Amino acid sequence: MLLLFILITCFALASTLPAQGRYDDCQRAIFTLSNNPEGNNILSLAASYNGTLSSPVLTPTGGKGLLGLNVGPPFGPVGTTVGSDGLFGQNSVVVSENYLFTVNSGSHTLSMFVIYPWAPLYPKLVGKPVDTQGEFPQSVTYSAQLNTACVVNGGAKNGVACFTVSIENGLSPVGGLRPLKNLHTNTPPSGPPDSASEILFSPSSSALFVTIKGKPGPPAVPGYIYAFGVNNGQISSDAIISSPSALILDYSINFLGSETSALITDPTFGASIVNIASDLTVTETHHTTIPNQGAVCWAAYSRHYGTVYVVDANRTNVTALDPLSGAIKGVIQFQADALGGFDTIIDRQWMYILSGANSVVVIDLEESGGTAVQQLGIAQEGPAGHWQGMAVYPAHRDSFLW
């Protein structure tokens, strides 16, 4: 009923807009996380009808952020704090329907917000942040079908914890911590090698996936993909574990429009398209080596454009891949002073990229196959180099249904 109310409200708003703005049928917002150890905040940015961003608003999460530590060369001197991507992964902020979830790694908690369609820049915290049962929560996912949010913890006390969701009562733990047997990260949390990357429900919520990085070596140690089956609405406590030899630093995972096909980025070479069998085992079907890549870690899939876009932390470009063959379709350049791209999200024809220069880059995918149209600085809103995560409200709107 609440979702129906949101849709009615949005379409009512659309009828009052001028012709050029009617496809902006609801107030829209982009969210990222300050990951500030002094006090975590969600940063909300208004997204206009032409995709550009403005009007930053900070909302406390009720928790604290934390930067992981480098494991040593070539990633950085041992024990020094990581700069951008201090959580070593994707999906530290997630929006689904009218909910927003985010991790607080410095206080090992998970926060839940409700988003009102008439004021999306001001998400409201529901209840209090809940303990994630682990040490270093890095990534979160939510299934509306299961009414369940799950988070992956890294660090010494690692594993997957899940919570039922209630707009009245917030988050309530369900089941215990599901350990990740092949993850042996020491205290304090360090990486990127040998750390958790992302947790994600499959499109139908029939399984819950976690990607774990291996070690580049020499000798190289492949990473792992955990798949927890879902039966009768219950998430299994045991996982099917796959370790395709081609994948070393398994990073982000993005489903490509089906239950059986996904793309996993790997900064040691590029990206792999994988097949997910009925028994939840994962095998590589297409191996894409991206020339001159520095660290391709993040990706976003657009059904409308039939393309998966891979972002490089050490280059100011986006590589467009065919979701069926993995073939490179083209490269989109953006501002050189952005210092690489990190978390990313697609909304309609615009791609939003969190950059290494404490800014958000906006790319119009409709313009000449992809053209940067804005770089909005956000350094004044939180500690430089701490920003993490990217999400959009309303979510899942890249299918041009406006």
Side-chain angles (χ1 to χ4, degrees), residues 17 62 199 311 352:
L17 292 172
I199 188 169
V311 180
Y352 298 94

Side-chain angles (χ1 to χ4, degrees), residues 8-365:
I8 292 172
T9 302
C10 290
F11 285 122
L13 286 171
S15 66
T16 66
L17 292 172
Q20 67 175 1
R22 285 188 180 171
Y23 50 77
D24 189 23
D25 56 6
C26 190
Q27 295 185 54
R28 317 185 75 81
I30 299 296
F31 304 96
T32 188
L33 183 69
S34 71
N35 196 28
N36 186 350
E38 301 300 320
N40 220 356
N41 288 283
I42 284 290
L43 174 64
S44 309
L45 298 167
S48 72
Y49 73 90
N50 65 4
T52 57
L53 302 175
S54 63
S55 308
V57 176
L58 289 173
T59 302
T61 67
K64 296 180 179 181
L66 181 67
L67 293 178
L69 302 181
N70 285 306
V71 296
F75 302 97
V78 175
T80 58
T81 55
V82 175
S84 300
D85 189 30
L87 301 183
F88 312 124
Q90 183 166 277
N91 274 8
S92 57
V93 182
V94 165
V95 170
S96 181
E97 295 188 328
N98 63 313
Y99 294 133
L100 182 151
F101 303 92
T102 190
V103 296
N104 302 299
S105 294
S107 51
H108 50 82
T109 59
L110 177 67
S111 295
M112 169 188 168
F113 295 82
V114 64
I115 301 173
Y116 298 106
W118 54 88
L121 297 184
Y122 302 90
K124 182 181 178 181
L125 187 65
V126 179
K128 295 181 179 180
V130 296
D131 194 308
T132 61
Q133 306 174 40
E135 181 185 31
F136 187 59
Q138 296 167 267
S139 177
V140 60
T141 186
Y142 172 69
S143 165
Q145 182 176 333
L146 301 176
N147 195 39
T148 299
C150 294
V151 63
V152 60
N153 294 277
K157 187 179 180 182
N158 59 67
V160 172
C162 295
F163 306 85
T164 57
V165 173
S166 166
I167 196 169
E168 292 83 15
N169 303 314
L171 298 161
S172 301
V174 53
L177 189 69
R178 297 163 176 82
L180 300 172
K181 300 174 184 177
N182 295 300
L183 180 58
H184 302 292
T185 305
N186 295 323
T187 300
S190 58
D194 198 22
S195 67
S197 297
E198 182 175 5
I199 188 169
L200 186 67
F201 279 106
S202 66
S204 71
S205 298
S206 61
L208 177 67
F209 291 84
V210 178
T211 51
I212 303 293
K213 307 176 201 70
K215 299 177 181 179
V221 178
Y224 297 89
I225 304 163
Y226 282 68
F228 297 88
V230 178
N231 297 295
N232 299 318
Q234 302 298 313
I235 301 169
S236 173
S237 58
D238 297 315
I240 302 299
I241 304 174
S242 300
S243 185
S245 60
L247 284 161
I248 305 301
L249 296 181
D250 312 50
Y251 223 87
S252 65
I253 178 171
N254 291 264
F255 281 90
L256 303 176
S258 75
E259 295 287 306
T260 60
S261 181
L263 180 134
I264 297 176
T265 55
D266 186 327
T268 65
F269 64 89
S272 289
I273 295 177
V274 298
N275 177 73
I276 301 164
S278 58
D279 64 357
L280 299 183
T281 56
V282 179
T283 55
E284 184 187 56
T285 58
H286 297 87
H287 188 88
T288 302
T289 298
I290 297 178
N292 303 313
Q293 68 92 16
V296 287
C297 300
W298 295 267
Y301 170 63
S302 170
R303 182 177 63 181
H304 175 81
Y305 290 109
T307 300
V308 56
Y309 299 91
V310 179
V311 180
D312 195 323
N314 287 342
R315 303 284 188 274
T316 52
N317 58 39
V318 178
T319 303
L321 303 181
D322 184 277
L324 297 178
S325 67
I328 296 175
K329 300 170 66 174
V331 177
I332 302 169
Q333 301 287 341
F334 57 94
Q335 298 90 334
D337 62 355
L339 304 180
F342 295 82
D343 294 272
T344 186
I345 195 78
I346 294 174
D347 177 44
R348 303 166 295 166
Q349 72 189 66
W350 293 283
M351 186 176 187
Y352 298 94
I353 302 172
L354 185 63
S355 86
N358 304 292
S359 64
V360 180
V361 173
V362 184
I363 293 176
D364 186 345
L365 297 174

